[in-house]
Structure formats: structure tokens, C-alpha cells
């Protein structure tokens, strides 16, 4: 099991390096986050032993229980990539190092208010909806600058950039081009907010070609997710 995990991780990392070279980019400028959702905490520990230092979770309850189970591992960052509810902001803030999915002022305000004197500043990204369906997560591209300005005004949060999931019915590179445009607009608000969180198992090479700095890769590394009823 761990042999296969090591092989898949090495294979994905080789593909990341290839895609970076093809785009004339330094692979060292790309952070590979391993999405461990639905898998047990033991998988996080196995990944850590293989050198992984960034993991991603998309549900608050799972994030909370897994961080408690794994405990503190030196240098391990937990990225929250799912829909956040304002009334769970405290739990997210307690467990996450980075929140990728800030898509409205209310959740930004709740994450800010959840900070404790000792908690320091929370790194956040503004999630952009690249689909035509307002029901999907993310602020519409038109709302990105307004939300970025709002986040920039909150002392407990540090705006780092933008995040998105590619639509299913569109060439991913085209969608990621719109995300790159949103990133440029966000950088007019906070100049160094240059993170672009994009690219999953199916589309990370395209995301790299469009400037992604943070990849969120699950099944290509972890294998198929256990099903949840
Ligand atoms: C599950 C998930 C991923 C990873 O998906 P894979 O296709 O398994 O790589 C990335 N981003 C988000 C927001 C997710 O929920």
C-alpha cells in the first residue's frame, strides 16, 4: 500500500515537473497539496512520512477530527478547500493553515472574527466561480475585486490570491485563463497576493500552463476515494 502511494506520488511529481518545464516555469514555485478527503488520518501520516507537507480537506468536520487525530506534525499545513459555513468559521480557523474557499464577505468576516489573540493572521484565497451556474461555489468574476477589497480590510486575514475548480463542460485551459485574469485584478488590490490555486487530478498540467502556484491533487496520489453514504 505505501509502496503504491510512494509510486503514485513520485509519478505525479514527475508530471508536475514536466508540465512546469513545458511552461518555462520553475517547479520549485509550485506547491503540491495532496487532497486526503474521505481517507483516514493514517493516510496523512503515511504521506507525511513520504515528505508531503501540504494536505487538503473539503469538509470542516473531517478537517477538525483529522487534525485532532494526527496531532501536530512539524511543518505540516492543512488547506481547507471546501464550502465554509459562517457558523463553523471558528472550527475551520482552529484547524486550517490556509482557507482557499472564501467566496463571500460573510465568511471572510466570520473567519476574521474567529481569530484568537494567539492565532496570528490566517492566509486566505478568494474562490472564483468559473461556471455560469451561480449555485456553484465561488464569487462571480465580476465580484472578485469587491471581495478582495473586503478581505484586505480585515486585520486577521491575509489575502494570498485566488482559487477555482474548472467547469466540467469546458476546456480547462480556457477556464484557467479567466482565473489568471481574476488573479491579475486581485493583485491590483493586494500586490503580492499572487497565489493561484487550481488544478486537480484531471487538469493539473493545464493549470500549470496557466500559472497555477498551488495544485490540489487527490485521487492521482491517494488512489480512489472510499465511498461515503
Ligand atoms: C476533491 C477535491 C480536489 C481533488 O480532486 P481529485 O480529482 O481527486 O484530484 C481538488 N479540489 C477540491 C475543491 C476538491 O474538493
Amino acid at each position: 500500500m505505501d509502496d503504491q502511494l510512494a509510486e503514485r506520488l513520485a509519478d505525479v511529481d514527475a508530471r508536475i515537473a514536466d508540465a512546469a518545464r513545458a511552461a518555462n516555469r520553475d517547479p520549485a514555485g509550485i506547491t503540491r497539496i495532496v487532497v486526503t478527503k474521505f481517507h483516514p488520518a493514517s493516510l496523512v501520516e503515511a504521506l507525511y512520512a513520504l515528505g508531503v507537507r501540504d494536505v487538503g480537506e473539503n469538509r470542516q468536520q473531517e478537517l477538525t477530527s483529522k487534525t485532532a487525530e494526527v496531532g501536530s506534525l512539524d511543518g505540516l499545513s492543512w488547506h481547507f478547500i471546501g464550502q465554509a459555513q459562517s457558523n463553523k468559521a471558528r472550527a475551520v480557523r482552529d484547524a486550517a493553515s490556509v482557507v482557499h474557499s472564501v467566496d463571500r464577505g460573510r465568511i471572510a468576516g466570520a473567519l476574521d472574527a474567529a481569530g484568537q489573540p494567539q492565532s496570528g493572521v490566517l492566509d486566505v484565497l478568494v474562490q472564483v466561480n468559473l461556471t455560469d451556474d451561480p449555485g456553484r461555489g465561488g464569487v462571480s468574476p465580476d465580484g472578485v475585486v469587491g471581495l478582495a477589497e473586503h478581505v484586505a480590510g480585515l486585520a486577521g486575514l491575509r489575502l494570498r490570491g485566488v482559487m477555482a475548480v474548472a467547469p466540467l463542460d469546458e476546456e480547462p485551459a480556457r477556464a484557467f485563463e479567466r482565473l489568471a485574469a481574476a488573479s491579475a485584478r486581485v493583485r491590483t488590490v493586494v500586490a503580492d497576493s499572487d497565489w493561484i490555486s487550481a488544478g486537480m487530478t484531471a487538469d493539473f498540467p493545464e493549470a500549470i500552463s496557466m500559472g497555477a502556484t498551488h495544485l490540489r491533487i487527490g485521487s492521482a496520489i491517494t488512489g480512489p476515494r472510499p465511498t461515503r453514504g
Side-chain angles (χ1 to χ4, degrees):
M1 158 70 191
D2 280 11
D3 277 1
Q4 282 181 23
L5 185 64
E7 252 174 56
R8 285 190 301 255
L9 181 65
D11 176 59
V12 166
D13 283 350
R15 291 173 60 200
I16 292 170
D18 284 348
R21 267 190 296 275
N24 273 314
R25 298 184 54 201
D26 181 357
I30 297 172
T31 300
R32 175 256 297 123
I33 299 160
V34 184
V35 178
T36 47
K37 66 188 184 199
F38 300 7
H39 290 280
S42 57
L43 181 75
V44 174
E45 290 160 346
L47 287 163
Y48 186 84
L50 293 171
V52 169
R53 293 295 178 268
D54 293 275
V55 295
E57 289 290 336
N58 76 333
R59 293 174 185 209
Q60 173 270 318
Q61 279 188 327
E62 200 176 338
L63 172 76
T64 298
S65 62
K66 237 179 257 183
T67 49
E69 209 175 321
V70 170
S72 88
L73 288 175
D74 204 29
L76 180 64
S77 292
W78 294 86
H79 297 253
F80 186 66
I81 61 176
Q83 286 302 311
Q85 279 165 358
S86 303
N87 62 346
K88 295 292 163 51
R90 178 69 181 277
V92 170
R93 178 126 195 195
D94 284 349
S97 320
V98 185
V99 175
H100 290 230
S101 40
V102 169
D103 63 357
R104 55 201 190 281
R106 194 171 141 85
I107 185 67
L111 286 168
D112 180 54
Q116 300 293 297
Q118 74 282 3
S119 46
V121 171
L122 179 69
D123 285 333
V124 301
L125 294 93
V126 165
Q127 182 176 354
V128 184
N129 183 355
L130 299 176
T131 75
D132 297 328
D133 175 1
R136 299 289 294 270
V139 64
S140 76
D142 289 351
V144 165
V145 165
L147 182 55
E149 285 169 344
H150 179 75
V151 172
L154 298 171
L157 306 184
R158 179 174 177 196
L159 180 62
R160 302 309 300 252
V162 294
M163 175 273 213
V165 175
L168 293 171
D169 57 354
E170 186 185 4
E171 184 60 40
R174 285 191 46 195
F176 292 143
E177 217 174 329
R178 294 199 296 286
L179 183 62
S183 166
R185 292 198 301 277
V186 165
R187 277 178 281 126
T188 66
V189 180
V190 175
D192 66 352
S193 62
D194 54 3
W195 295 8
I196 300 179
S197 167
M200 309 175 23
T201 289
D203 55 26
F204 70 83
E206 289 88 345
I208 290 169
S209 76
M210 289 297 151
T213 61
H214 290 66
L215 315 174
R216 307 178 311 269
I217 304 179
S219 44
I221 294 171
T222 63
R225 279 185 279 278
T227 47
R228 276 266 164 106

